């Protein structure tokens, strides 16, 4: 009897100890691990956290995506205009026009989204984007056309994972609509760039960061 009583008391004490340990571990630590597993690599965090809006919660990843859409237009619109002026192949001029049309519309949308959600938007391309524009400015003839196609095709190819992640995870209806529009635009641009016949697919694995 004494032995059974001792064993029973030990089990009760162990259970209470495990319960106490579980209560002492912050619940947020489990939540953050789960979130990291779902979202993968962290987006640029502006430190603003998640805020409530009339269109749903707005996360740091949502704001990062909105700014990247704006950044895309800031270098791809000039690139498109340049291709219209300097391209000798009709396919290059066509690709340039698609860049102009697509990013003119996306720029209109992203400015509206930024204003509605209170997101500050960049007004000039990033340093890397300015470098890409500089490379195209210095190139001549066929070298220019190949460089134009390759730089734009690389940048667009890297953006699909970002778009898919934002579209599937955001709880903000305006961000979701912007991601849908951006996805359609990116696919169109990839198609017309590949139609030029100048894409070097073996070189597309280089590390080019997404800009939309």
């Amino acid at each position: 009897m004494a032995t059974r009583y001792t064993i029973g008391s030990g089990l009760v004490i162990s259970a209470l100890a495990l319960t106490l340990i579980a209560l002492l571990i912050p619940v947020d630590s489990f939540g953050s691990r789960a979130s990291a597993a779902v979202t993968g690599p962290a987006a640029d965090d502006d430190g603003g956290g998640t805020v409530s809006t009339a269109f749903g919660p707005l996360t740091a990843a949502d704001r990062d995506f909105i700014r990247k859409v704006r950044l895309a237009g800031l270098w791809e619109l000039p690139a498109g205009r340049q291709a219209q002026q300097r391209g000798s192949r009709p396919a290059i001029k066509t690709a340039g026009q698609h860049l102009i049309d697509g990013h003119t519309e996306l720029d209109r949308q992203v400015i509206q989204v930024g204003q509605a959600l209170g997101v500050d938007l960049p007004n000039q391309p990033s340093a890397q984007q300015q470098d890409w524009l500089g490379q195209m400015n210095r190139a001549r003839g066929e070298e220019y056309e190949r460089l134009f196609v390759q730089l734009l095709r690389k940048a667009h190819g890297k953006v699909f994972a970002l778009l898919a992640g934002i579209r599937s995870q955001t709880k903000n209806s305006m961000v979701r609509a912007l991601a849908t529009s951006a996805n359609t635009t990116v696919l169109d641009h990839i198609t017309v760039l590949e139609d030029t016949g100048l894409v070097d697919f073996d070189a597309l694995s280089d590390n080019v960061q997404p800009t939309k």
Side-chain angles (χ1 to χ4, degrees):
M1 289 291 295
T3 301
R4 270 185 271 173
Y5 176 79
T6 302
I7 294 172
S9 299
L11 290 174
V12 171
I13 292 170
S14 297
L16 289 172
L18 289 172
T19 301
L20 180 60
I21 292 169
L23 290 173
L24 290 174
I25 297 175
V27 175
D28 286 347
S29 67
F30 292 104
S32 63
R33 288 176 201 168
S35 176
V38 171
T39 58
D44 292 340
D45 191 345
D46 57 10
T50 299
V51 298
S52 297
T53 76
F55 306 94
L58 184 73
T59 66
D62 292 333
R63 292 190 295 275
D64 180 60
F65 166 71
I66 292 168
R67 293 182 179 114
K68 281 179 174 153
V69 173
R70 171 64 170 165
L71 279 170
L74 290 174
W75 86 280
E76 291 183 34
L77 273 169
R81 295 189 187 105
Q82 187 183 71
Q84 283 275 288
Q85 296 169 357
R86 297 180 56 188
S88 60
R89 292 175 171 86
I92 295 293
K93 293 182 179 294
T94 296
Q97 189 61 54
H98 278 243
L99 289 175
I100 294 169
D101 294 342
H103 283 288
T104 296
E105 176 58 21
L106 268 185
D107 213 43
R108 182 191 65 78
Q109 291 182 40
V110 77
I111 289 172
Q112 288 183 345
V113 170
Q115 291 173 344
L117 299 178
V119 179
D120 294 331
L121 300 177
N123 290 313
Q124 63 179 9
S126 69
Q128 185 179 50
Q129 292 166 342
Q130 291 178 39
D131 178 65
W132 293 338
L133 289 170
Q135 289 181 49
M136 288 189 288
N137 285 335
R138 294 187 294 272
R140 295 290 180 269
E142 185 171 336
E143 178 195 2
Y144 162 75
E145 294 188 337
R146 291 186 179 279
L147 185 62
F148 163 79
V149 170
Q150 198 69 10
L151 286 174
L152 270 297
R153 176 59 180 81
K154 281 184 181 180
H156 283 81
K158 295 292 183 179
V159 80
F160 272 117
L162 172 65
L163 284 170
I166 291 294
R167 181 62 181 80
S168 65
Q169 294 178 30
T170 185
K171 297 179 181 178
N172 189 286
S173 60
M174 290 199 80
V175 174
R176 195 158 48 245
L178 180 63
T180 299
S181 295
N183 190 67
T184 300
T185 301
V186 168
L187 182 58
D188 172 70
H189 291 176
I190 285 176
T191 301
V192 294
L193 288 165
E194 291 177 350
D195 285 346
T196 64
L198 298 178
V199 176
D200 179 358
F201 289 95
D202 291 335
L204 291 180
S205 60
D206 293 349
N207 183 28
V208 176
Q209 296 299 318
T211 61
K212 288 187 173 61

